[in-house]
């Protein structure tokens, strides 16, 4: 968390806040180890004076396009963004603040300090090894089949591999697999073409429904609430004792590379 829907909701939010055309005037950064960088600012000291020209996303990576270069933002596990007005109190766990020329500011809040911020010449250095974005037109059923049908790893692990498809994380991999009745431990190369085609549809459905939920349920300040996923953006409630939304069977869990999968032992063969 946050995964593709959460990051896309942040992109939409920033555009709705009309940050495009604004110039960054100052940066205040508080990150472990940045004082050891050449400028003591994690390389962000070159940002002031650059104008924001757009916002894009690939997978879980958010990019603020600038008149010179791009600002890469990754929310890690607990990151979120907020556009603040001059009289607004700073957020409790703000780690980086980008001040704008209209006296507003963009705050990156992250209790665990796992988010990432970097100034790059282009997105290529970040996205070069990523697979197609899970909501991009290039991610077709045929593309998914080509990328996973010969892999011997569990399908859950394959879906979490960002070089296969970008943007799917732990919770939406579980959501998609549950929709099509595929157990997360099943080897990817044992799935039929029909199953993979249905899985492709389930991936997009899960992501789009989550995105709509997040956009339609902002917090009290109108910001997308992206961190706590224990809500109706998901069909599977990831808590001890949760049951299958289809048959009522108690969900089981299994670890894949340190990530916990939730699944129904009855509906997912």
């Amino acid at each position: 968390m946050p995964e593709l829907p959460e990051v896309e909701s942040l992109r939409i939010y920033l555009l709705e806040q009309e940050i495009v055309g604004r110039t960054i005037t100052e940066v205040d950064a508080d990150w472990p180890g940045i004082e050891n960088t050449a400028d003591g600012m994690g390389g962000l000291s070159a940002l002031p004076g650059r104008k924001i020209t757009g916002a894009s996303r690939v997978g879980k990576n958010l990019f603020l396009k600038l008149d010179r270069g791009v600002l890469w933002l990754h929310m890690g596990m607990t990151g979120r963004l907020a556009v603040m007005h001059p009289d607004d109190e700073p957020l409790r766990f703000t780690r980086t603040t980008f001040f704008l020329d209209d006296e507003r500011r963009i705050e990156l809040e992250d209790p665990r300090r796992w988010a990432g911020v970097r100034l790059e010449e282009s997105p290529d250095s970040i996205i070069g090894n990523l697979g197609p974005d899970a909501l991009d037109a290039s991610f077709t059923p045929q593309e998914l089949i080509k990328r996973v049908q010969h892999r011997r790893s569990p399908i859950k692990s394959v879906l979490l591999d960002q070089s296969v498809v970008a943007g799917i994380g732990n919770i939406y991999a579980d959501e998609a697999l549950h929709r099509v009745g595929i157990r997360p431990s099943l080897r990817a190369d044992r799935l039929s073409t029909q199953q993979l085609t249905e899985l492709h549809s389930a991936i997009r459905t899960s992501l789009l429904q989550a995105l709509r939920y997040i956009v339609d349920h902002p917090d009290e300040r109108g910001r997308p609430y992206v961190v706590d996923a224990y809500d109706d953006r998901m069909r599977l409630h990831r808590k001890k004792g949760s049951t299958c939304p289809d048959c009522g069977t108690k969900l089981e869990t299994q670890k894949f590379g340190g990530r916990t999968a939730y699944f129904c032992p009855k509906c997912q063969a």
Side-chain angles (χ1 to χ4, degrees), residues 2 5-15 62 75 79-82 224 226:
E6 289 75 26
V7 179
E8 176 64 10
S9 73
L10 289 175
R11 187 190 71 84
I12 294 170
Y13 163 73
L14 292 175
L15 293 177
L62 180 63
M75 297 300 107
R80 64 183 302 199
L81 297 170
V226 301

Side-chain angles (χ1 to χ4, degrees), residues 93-182:
F93 297 107
T94 292
R95 306 305 180 191
T96 304
T97 303
F98 307 96
F99 295 89
L100 306 178
D101 61 354
D102 61 358
E103 299 188 348
R104 295 184 299 165
R105 63 190 188 273
I106 303 172
E107 293 189 17
L108 170 58
E109 184 183 34
D110 182 23
R112 294 191 183 182
R113 299 190 181 212
W114 289 351
V117 185
R118 196 157 70 235
L119 181 61
E120 296 283 346
E121 291 186 5
S122 77
D124 294 343
S125 59
I126 301 294
I127 66 174
N129 294 322
L130 295 181
D133 184 90
L135 289 184
D136 192 81
S138 64
F139 180 57
T140 62
Q142 294 74 26
E143 186 67 19
L144 177 64
I145 292 168
K146 181 181 73 174
R147 287 176 171 270
V148 310
Q149 66 180 349
H150 299 302
R151 294 188 174 242
R152 298 168 61 87
S153 300
I155 184 59
K156 172 66 182 278
S157 300
V158 173
L159 291 179
L160 295 182
D161 185 344
Q162 299 299 293
S163 68
V164 175
V165 55
I168 305 173
N170 197 33
I171 66 174
Y172 297 117
D174 285 354
E175 290 286 298
L177 291 170
H178 180 268
R179 286 179 183 274
V180 292
I182 297 172

Side-chain angles (χ1 to χ4, degrees), residues 183-239:
R183 188 167 293 223
S185 58
L186 189 62
R187 270 178 34 180
D189 61 354
R190 293 182 177 173
L191 294 173
S192 68
T193 297
Q194 181 62 33
Q195 285 177 305
L196 290 173
T197 299
E198 293 174 356
L199 178 58
H200 173 271
S201 177
I203 289 169
R204 295 178 72 91
T205 296
S206 298
L207 296 175
L208 288 171
Q209 288 192 1
L211 175 59
R212 282 194 293 269
Y213 182 90
I214 297 165
V215 171
D216 291 343
H217 294 81
D219 69 7
E220 69 280 357
R221 292 175 177 257
R223 301 169 299 193
Y225 196 71
V226 301
V227 175
D228 186 1
Y230 299 114
D231 55 36
D232 288 337
R233 81 186 72 179
M234 304 187 313
R235 300 180 75 242
L236 301 180
H237 290 173
R238 306 173 65 82
K239 294 182 179 180

Side-chain angles (χ1 to χ4, degrees), residues 178 235-236 243-251 263-268:
H178 180 268
R235 300 180 75 242
L236 301 180
T243 58
C244 174
D246 293 335
C247 73
T249 300
K250 184 178 178 181
L251 298 179
F263 65 96
C264 175
K266 182 177 179 181
C267 296
Q268 294 172 261

